[in-house]
Every structure is written in structure tokens, then in C-alpha cells.
Amino acid sequence: MPRDLLQATSLKRSFHEGGRELHVLRGIDINVQRGQMVAILGASGSGKSTLLHLLGGFERPTACSVIFDGRNIYDLPGGKLDHYRNQHVGFVFQFYHLLPELTALENVMIAAMIRRGPLSWLAGQGATRQRALALLERVGLRERTRHRPAKLSGGERQRVAIARALMNQPDVLLADEPTGNLDRNTGANILQLLTELHDEGQTMVIVTHDEHVAARAESRGSVRRLVDGQLDGL
Amino acid sequence: MFKWLLISKYLRRKLAPLFAALAVTVCTMMVIVVMSVMGGFLDLLQSSAHKLTGDVVIDANTYGGFPYYQDLIERIEKLPSVEAATPTVVSYGLLRLFDSTKPVEVMGIRPREMDRIVGFSQTLMWQSSDIDNLPTNIDLEKLSLDMRSPLATDDRPGCVIGIETNPVQWRDEKGQYNPGWAAVFSEAVISVLPVTTKGDFVDAQRLRCVVLNEFKSGLYEIDSSRVYVPFDELQRKLLMSGSTQSVDAEGNLVDKPTPARASEIMVKAADGYSPQQVEDDVAGLMNDFLAEHPELTVQPRVRTWMQRHHTLLSAVENEKGLVTFLFVIISVVAVVMVATTFYTIVLEKTRDIGVLRAIGASSYGVSKLFLGYGLGVGTLGSLVGLILAAIIVTHLNNIQDTLATRMFSFIAFVLVIVISSIIVTIATAMLCRRRDNRLELTVLAAAATLVLLSLTCYYLFPHVTLPGIASLDGQFGWRMWDPRVYFFERIPDRLDIFGSAWVVLGAIVSSVVGALIPAILAARMNPVEALRYE
Ligand SMILES: Nc1ncnc2c1ncn2[C@@H]1O[C@H](COP(=O)(O)OP(=O)(O)O)[C@@H](O)[C@H]1O
Ligand SMILES: [Mg+2]
């Protein structure tokens, strides 16, 4: 039995809102193995994004912890947690979240630039650029490298975002409703791209409220349902 | 590394930081201009004051002067730190010239020694060529240094008067004196009041002399009140040249010699010695001297030229400090501008900050992004301000001349420049919009047009006369700096490079400080909340 890449047991997260305690995640048990594709299906507001943020090292759970490769990421010192977000996970957002001032190519490259000083950046610049171009080509945007996000369609923006998430060869790709903001056709294309990436060996966790997406994932991995702050099914 | 990419993008694609940079530019420019001009005045005053007294001056501290000065001078000149020393006698009296009588300070000098010590000949106003109908063999400068009448038969001594003591001399609107009104070779009658060693008045003495030249020291108070005459002549008239007899305690004449007296000794430092060092050395000598002459009840004072003119110099120094301080306070505006601009940028960029954090930027990295941004705005703004200030300061006299003589033509030219630049800017903006709304191109085009047109007009300006407007120029005109009022005829126009460097540095640091609070805010931001921010 291979060791879990990402794992959490009875993970809890609650918010204080207007003096009341809001228990969003009430005890999540999840484990993701290398090469696996996990889909999490849940209604809007069920806490899918919150779960993904916890797995991605964005914010602390109220109780319990997230174990990555045998280590609790929230026990890491601050700098190491930044490193974790940068190197070990790639995040794809529902609303793309590209930087509007940068071109598609720069948006992809920035993931590699962000933790490098000017010197090591200059040394590796050519290789970084090549990799970013190759990724853009891989997601089908060869002709759009110099476009700014405002000049790209929703599907194209999400492709740039996926290329950015893959830039540092993350161990796991976390996708938060990657098709949620797209029409059915475009969404299907994005989903196609993600499944292809999975075929190439990319570990990923996709959350969605869309049964169609879940159905696509069913054939190749596990689908879990997020209900009442807990995951069911295996 | 992402920081520099984003900083350069943010700088080029946003209008707000440009305004912040503009505020920095204006403040830097103001402070540098004020500092340079005020510093220029101070320099002028200082060099004028320095030229009046040499590096170190010993003064008698009493109207009656002090004895054994020649002996003292010989000893002083032996000091390695001293190049030369010369005595003067100083008195107050009345100058009668062209039927006008004025109170003046009369100073007896040895002109050639004075020239070695303070460059006396450089303050002389007139050369032979300035004066009409002068025989060609007469050299005014040589005459002034000899202080003798040009006529061999004439036994009157010569004198050199302060240019403003001449009752008929005046300055035109450019601040120039008129050689036609020079008092050269007119007779001046100077009356002085001698006092005895006990301080009693003796009958007023009259000294008739020939005006050989006029001098301009650069200090109005001096030029309007001082007259130079030969040392020996004045010493004799003031009864300070000594005699074989003296007056004893009961007031009887006794056969005991009275030594000659002088009022001051001016000392010039040797190369490589500071006035302060000379002052120390001379003060040491003075102590020995006083020990040898216990009868000197009033002790002469040794002071550097700066101590001597302290009140005058420190007044201007104070003014300079105060004005610079006021403008620095105004410059706090720039810091506030930068802070508010950056605050809005942080708000506007909240989501992007969340994204950056989500893909791995550290909170430190994000704060550095904004600090670097402040650095960029500060550097850009202050360097442009420095360039503008340099242009303004070095052209101040032109600007002032323009305002006085061609103000309306200038306004017309400026209107032409501004209107054409606006047209070009709008045109580029419209062109750019069709392609990719690149702010930088528009700004660049506007700036380029502005610079090009300004340069063209700058070179055309003196040559082109606009009909109609020229007559307006003739009638109205504003002289912001009337040299008839102030004593230097030119506005100081040298850039204070050392001070400017400090101002630029200060502007950059202030911008970074202005960016500090927004940077901390950005660093503290929780990435998840930042991502949720709409
Ligand atoms: N920072 C927060 N403060 C208060 N409540 C929050 C916060 N973040 C999320 N929630 C609440 O948690 C619940 C789950 O949110 P979310 O994870 O975004 O749901 P989903 O992504 O499944 O639509 C929602 O009811 C939301 O209002
Ligand atoms: Mg969500």
C-alpha cells in the first residue's frame, strides 16, 4: 500500500459569523494517492472551496491537520508553507484569477518567478520561458501568449490558469470548480484537458457542484460527496 | 523577481502612481530650487564678507587703536600658517562729494598689501577704458593701487570710494552701474574726528583727496558707507602715527615717545591652512604679545572672518534653513500622496495579492512589492524633479529677463506648446485605443511632443517677434527680481549639487515610507479573504 500523498482525518473548520459559530467542515476524512483523480461533489455553500483551501495551505483548519507526504503542512514554518503552495500544489480557481497587467505568458511564468531572486531568475530565465511556452502550447494557447487576460475568452483564461498551476510541476493539482464559470461546451473542453493531464500522471483533486463533471471523473477515480460538512462514499 | 516585473507593469499601466510621482517631482523641484537660490545668496554674501576682512582679523576693540602693530605683523608673518598681514586704521567721518555730504566709514589701507590679502583690485569698478576722454597713458588700476594723484604736481592723496557713496551713481533696471556717472578724478573732502589715547576728542581734521576709482564689494552696507584712503595719511590725520612726546597722567606733555597705532590687522592664511588654524596660531602669538605689553588695558580681539561677520551671515543662514524647512514640510504632502495612492492600489489589487499569495509569494515578498513600488515612484519622481530644478535654477536669470521684457510673447509660446501637445496626446490616445489601450504610449507621445516643441520654441524664442503681442510686452512686464532693490544684480543660478543629492535621497526615502503602511497592510492580508474580495 503506497503512502498517501495528501491526507486528512476528521478535519474541521468553522467560522465565527455574527457571534454564531458556523461549522462548515465537521470532520473530513480524505486521502489522495499519487496519480489519483479525486472528485468532490457538493452543493453550493457546502464547504468545497473551504476544504480545498485547507488542502492547499491557504488557511488553518480549526481542528486536526493536513498531512502532505507524511508531514503536517500547518506545522511548517511560514516560509515553508509558502514553499508548499508554490512547489507542491497547483491551484485552479473558478474565476481564473489571472493578473490583469500581465500577458498570458507572464501569467504562467510568474509561478516560477515568484520564489526566485533576480540572479537565479536570470540564470534560469531561458528554461523557464521555454517551459511556460510549452505549457501554453499543451493547453492549446500557442497563438495567445502575448494576450492579456482581458483579451481572452473564459475558456482561454482557464487554460492559462491551468498552465500556471502546472508551471512548477506540482505534486497535486487542486481545481475549485474549474468549469463552474464556463458554458457547457467550453467546460467540457476544460474537463477533457484535465482528464488528459490525469492520463499523463497528474494527481488532482477537483471540486464541483456539477453532476456531469462528477460523472466524467467517476470512471477514472473516486467521487466523494460533501454533505453536512462531511464526506461520504468511497 | 516577480516584484520587478509587476512594479514595472504597475508603473506603466496606471495613472494613479504617475500622479504620485508627479507630486514627488513638484516637491523635489521646489525644495531644490529654493535651496539652490538661497544657498547661492549665502555663498555670494560669504565670499563678499570674506573678501572684506581676509581669513583672520585682529581688531583693536577700541576707536583709539593699538600700538606696536608693526612688530606684531612681523611676528605674525613668520608663522608658517600665515601668508601675509596688513594693518588698517578705521575711523568715521563725513564725505563731501559733488556738494553732497554723507557719513562714512573711513579706512586707511596699504592697497598693494590689501590686494595680496583680499584681492582688493578685483572689487574696483572702473578700468581706463570705461571712462570717456581719459589720456591713454593712465592706468586706473595701477593708480588705485598707488593711491596717488595722477598729476605729479598734485600733492593730494588718492582715495577709492564705495560705489553707493557716490551721490550721482545709480543702477539701471538690469542692475548695472553707469561709468558715465563715475566720480573718477573728482575731489572728495573727508572730515575725520581724531581721539586721544584717553578717548578725548581733538579738532576735526580734513583730508582732501582725488577719487581714483569706485569699489563694489557685494555688500550693500559696505559699498554705501566705506571710503578707502592711504594708511599713512589717515593715520597722521587721526594723530595715530606716534610722536616723540606723550601726555602723562596729569595731562602734561613729557618726553616719552608715543607709539604709532593701527585699528586692525588683516591676515591671509597660507595655502592649506584653514582660517581656524590661523586664528589659533595668531591667538597664541597674541597672548605672548599681551604679556609683553601689560600697559594695554583694552585687548585686541582675534577672530576669523566668519566670526567677524557672524550676524550678517547667520541671518541669511537662518533664512535659508527656515525656507528649506517650510518647503520640506510642504513635501510631506508628497508622502501623503504616495501613501494614499498606494493604499488605493492595495485595495484595488487585493485580489491579485491573494492570487500571488496563493501561488506561493511570501507575505514578505508582497510587502517588498509595494516598497519597491514606492521606490520606483520616488526615484522616477525625484529624478524628474531634479532635472526640472536644474533647468529652472540655471535659467533663472533668463526666466526673469523673459518675464520682464517678453512675458506676453512667452505666454503665447507656452499656449502654442500646450495646445499642440494636448492635440497630439488626444490623437495618440485615440489611435492607441483602437489597438491596445497602452497608457505608456500616450504619455510618451505627450512628453516627446512637449519636449520637442519646448526646445524648438526655446531656440526660436529670442528671434521671433509676434506682432501685437510685442507692444503688450513693451507696456507691461513683471520683474520678479529687481536688481535695483537687491544688491546682487544676478539671481544665483548654480545648482546646489550636494544638497540636491540629499533632497533626491530624502524624496526616495519618503516615498518608500509612504508605501510602508500599504505594504504592511498587503503583507498582513489573509489570502483566502483576499481571493473572496470582489
Ligand atoms: N471567511 C468566512 N467567514 C464566514 N463564513 C465563511 C467564510 N468562508 C466561507 N464561509 C461560509 O462557509 C460556507 C462554505 O463556503 P464555501 O467553501 O465557499 O462553499 P462552496 O465552495 O462549497 O460553495 C458558506 O456558507 C460560507 O458562507
Ligand atoms: Mg466555492
Side-chain angles (χ1 to χ4, degrees):
Chain A
M1 160 111 188
R3 192 159 70 163
D4 292 330
L5 181 67
L6 200 57
Q7 189 242 324
T9 324
S10 56
L11 192 64
K12 295 197 178 78
R13 178 74 169 107
S14 47
F15 298 102
H16 291 280
E17 192 65 38
R20 271 184 347 110
E21 194 88 359
L22 183 64
H23 298 281
V24 177
L25 301 179
R26 298 159 179 266
I28 299 283
D29 296 320
I30 188 172
N31 41 30
V32 181
Q33 269 135 39
R34 232 174 243 288
Q36 208 184 5
M37 180 185 212
V38 178
I40 295 170
L41 187 63
S44 176
S46 58
K48 304 182 298 291
S49 298
T50 306
L51 173 58
L52 226 44
H53 292 157
L54 295 182
L55 295 179
F58 289 14
E59 58 178 351
R60 278 173 188 283
T62 314
C64 201
S65 195
V66 175
I67 312 295
F68 173 82
D69 214 10
R71 263 177 304 164
N72 179 354
I73 60 167
Y74 289 105
D75 277 351
L76 296 173
K80 279 275 164 42
L81 193 57
D82 296 329
H83 179 80
Y84 169 75
R85 285 201 302 272
N86 184 236
Q87 290 293 317
H88 297 299
V89 299
F91 214 100
V92 178
F93 304 93
Q94 178 178 357
F95 298 104
Y96 334 120
H97 287 343
L98 300 176
L99 299 179
E101 283 84 10
L102 306 186
T103 63
L105 180 63
E106 288 163 342
N107 261 296
V108 177
M109 279 164 61
I110 197 155
M113 296 169 79
I114 211 150
R115 296 196 59 78
R116 282 204 219 152
L119 281 183
S120 76
W121 159 248
L122 281 178
Q125 191 189 19
T128 309
R129 199 183 165 80
Q130 285 313 314
R131 172 157 174 79
L133 283 170
L135 279 171
L136 281 172
E137 185 161 2
R138 171 68 190 82
V139 299
L141 289 179
R142 205 203 146 94
E143 311 293 321
R144 301 275 191 281
T145 57
R146 294 171 62 85
H147 284 52
R148 279 170 218 288
K151 298 283 155 83
L152 295 171
S153 73
E156 287 167 340
R157 286 185 214 183
Q158 196 59 296
R159 286 165 190 273
V160 175
I162 291 171
R164 176 178 69 188
L166 294 174
M167 185 67 201
N168 291 333
Q169 294 170 290
D171 294 291
V172 57
L173 190 73
L174 304 176
D176 188 354
E177 307 208 36
T179 63
N181 209 33
L182 301 172
D183 63 57
R184 176 161 300 221
N185 244 333
T186 325
N189 287 335
I190 293 291
L191 203 61
Q192 178 63 33
L193 173 63
L194 288 173
T195 51
E196 282 170 25
L197 289 169
H198 176 235
D199 289 341
E200 291 162 19
Q202 180 67 53
T203 314
M204 59 180 79
V205 178
I206 304 178
V207 305
T208 179
H209 69 271
D210 187 346
E211 298 280 350
H212 292 276
V213 177
R216 283 293 293 272
E218 188 121 51
S219 56
R220 48 181 62 240
S222 65
V223 175
R224 315 277 305 267
R225 280 171 199 280
L226 182 56
V227 183
D228 288 338
Q230 284 179 315
L231 285 177
D232 65 0
L234 250 178
Chain B
M1 191 54 213
F2 77 104
K3 281 158 243 146
W4 301 116
L5 178 68
L6 281 178
I7 288 167
S8 73
K9 296 274 175 180
Y10 285 4
L11 265 183
R12 284 185 296 166
R13 303 207 135 250
K14 291 253 173 293
L15 214 48
L18 281 185
F19 281 124
L22 196 68
V24 176
T25 298
V26 172
C27 289
T28 317
M29 191 181 80
M30 274 186 334
V31 176
I32 292 180
V33 168
V34 167
M35 211 176 56
S36 293
V37 173
M38 294 297 285
F41 279 131
L42 191 59
D43 285 350
L44 278 177
L45 265 184
Q46 281 184 337
S47 71
S48 304
H50 195 174
K51 280 198 189 118
L52 279 175
T53 37
D55 295 311
V56 167
V57 62
I58 303 169
D59 72 285
N61 210 3
T62 166
Y63 196 67
F66 61 97
Y68 314 120
Y69 60 88
Q70 202 55 48
D71 172 41
L72 192 58
I73 286 174
E74 274 156 27
R75 289 203 235 169
I76 288 173
E77 283 187 330
K78 286 204 186 91
L79 287 171
S81 57
V82 169
E83 182 169 324
T86 185
T88 65
V89 272
V90 181
S91 174
Y92 295 88
L94 296 173
L95 168 72
R96 186 162 181 82
L97 180 65
F98 301 138
D99 295 336
S100 148
T101 306
K102 284 185 178 180
V104 288
E105 181 193 28
V106 190
M107 201 159 168
I109 59 169
R110 294 177 179 163
R112 292 202 181 269
E113 291 180 6
M114 269 283 276
D115 193 31
R116 255 185 86 200
I117 290 171
V118 295
F120 174 63
S121 58
Q122 287 157 34
T123 62
L124 296 176
M125 273 308 282
W126 312 120
Q127 257 122 47
S128 311
S129 55
D130 293 327
I131 311 292
D132 293 337
N133 309 324
L134 213 60
T136 46
N137 61 344
I138 285 184
D139 180 352
L140 268 189
E141 185 178 314
K142 186 172 171 301
L143 269 180
S144 311
L145 288 179
D146 289 340
M147 279 207 175
R148 267 211 336 263
S149 166
L151 300 172
T153 52
D154 188 358
D155 61 352
R156 291 175 301 171
C159 68
V160 175
I161 64 174
I163 188 138
E164 288 280 331
T165 61
N166 178 348
V168 297
Q169 187 60 269
W170 55 281
R171 279 184 291 174
D172 60 15
E173 72 271 12
K174 290 210 160 149
Q176 305 292 333
Y177 288 101
N178 188 342
W181 300 114
V184 173
F185 297 150
S186 307
E187 183 180 74
V189 181
I190 300 166
S191 314
V192 288
L193 257 192
V195 289
T196 66
T197 43
K198 299 272 175 283
D200 297 324
F201 287 117
V202 186
D203 288 341
Q205 298 286 314
R206 189 176 272 203
L207 182 64
R208 293 170 166 281
C209 49
V210 189
V211 176
L212 297 175
N213 214 326
E214 293 170 341
F215 76 88
K216 177 164 168 286
S217 69
L219 294 178
Y220 182 81
E221 275 65 39
I222 300 296
D223 295 355
S224 61
S225 71
R226 184 176 286 184
V227 175
Y228 289 121
V229 297
F231 179 80
D232 297 329
E233 295 288 343
L234 186 62
Q235 198 185 35
R236 193 161 46 243
K237 291 284 182 202
L238 290 175
L239 310 179
M240 285 164 78
S241 50
S243 72
T244 50
Q245 293 183 311
S246 57
V247 184
D248 72 1
E250 276 90 48
N252 304 316
L253 271 179
V254 293
D255 278 344
K256 186 179 153 223
T258 311
R261 283 169 293 151
S263 308
E264 283 182 352
I265 297 176
M266 292 183 192
V267 184
K268 180 182 165 71
D271 272 351
Y273 289 91
S274 71
Q276 199 54 55
Q277 286 168 309
V278 176
E279 191 218 30
D280 289 346
D281 290 353
V282 172
L285 259 185
M286 200 67 196
N287 281 336
D288 302 343
F289 179 77
L290 289 173
E292 291 164 28
H293 299 286
E295 75 273 20
L296 286 182
T297 46
V298 182
Q299 305 188 344
R301 284 181 295 192
V302 182
R303 288 184 292 178
T304 64
W305 66 275
M306 277 177 284
Q307 291 161 344
R308 169 67 183 268
H309 298 286
H310 175 76
T311 38
L312 175 68
L313 296 180
S314 49
V316 178
E317 225 157 55
N318 278 358
E319 277 165 35
K320 180 191 172 191
L322 188 67
V323 174
T324 308
F325 175 70
L326 289 181
F327 278 87
V328 168
I329 287 189
I330 293 174
S331 303
V332 171
V333 174
V335 180
V336 176
M337 267 293 274
V338 172
T340 45
T341 309
F342 282 26
Y343 184 68
T344 33
I345 291 172
V346 169
L347 286 187
E348 188 193 339
K349 292 273 157 218
T350 299
R351 222 197 54 206
D352 291 4
I353 293 167
V355 175
L356 286 171
R357 297 280 279 123
I359 63 175
S362 60
S363 59
Y364 178 57
V366 170
S367 66
K368 278 212 295 199
L369 170 69
F370 285 91
L371 289 181
Y373 200 6
L375 188 72
V377 165
T379 311
L380 188 76
S382 58
L383 287 184
V384 173
L386 175 67
I387 292 169
L388 289 182
I391 294 175
I392 291 179
V393 170
T394 48
H395 288 73
L396 260 181
N397 288 292
N398 286 355
I399 293 172
Q400 109 103 359
D401 255 7
T402 299
L403 287 179
T405 56
R406 310 198 63 194
M407 181 159 62
F408 292 93
S409 310
F410 181 70
I411 293 172
F413 270 103
V414 168
L415 281 181
V416 169
I417 295 173
V418 167
I419 290 170
S420 356
S421 309
I422 289 176
I423 291 172
V424 172
T425 311
I426 293 174
T428 21
M430 275 172 17
L431 274 179
C432 291
R433 195 191 212 137
R434 268 199 233 132
R435 292 173 50 235
D436 179 10
N437 49 33
R438 304 192 71 154
L439 183 67
E440 54 197 273
L441 252 182
T442 314
V443 173
L444 209 72
T449 328
L450 206 70
V451 169
L452 269 178
L453 276 174
S454 311
L455 281 181
T456 321
C457 289
Y458 179 77
Y459 286 107
L460 280 183
F461 185 54
H463 310 295
V464 179
T465 329
L466 302 171
I469 290 180
S471 69
L472 272 181
D473 284 332
Q475 278 174 30
F476 308 98
W478 175 56
R479 206 165 261 285
M480 63 177 172
W481 171 265
D482 193 337
R484 279 172 299 189
V485 176
Y486 210 89
F487 206 59
F488 304 113
E489 62 265 23
R490 283 171 64 81
I491 307 173
D493 57 1
R494 228 188 41 225
L495 191 70
D496 178 353
I497 292 174
F498 187 69
S500 303
W502 277 109
V503 173
V504 167
L505 193 74
I508 294 176
V509 170
S510 317
S511 306
V512 174
V513 169
L516 197 63
I517 295 173
I520 292 173
L521 274 179
R524 284 228 186 131
M525 216 173 272
N526 172 339
V528 174
E529 271 166 29
L531 283 172
R532 282 183 188 273
Y533 188 89
E534 285 307 319

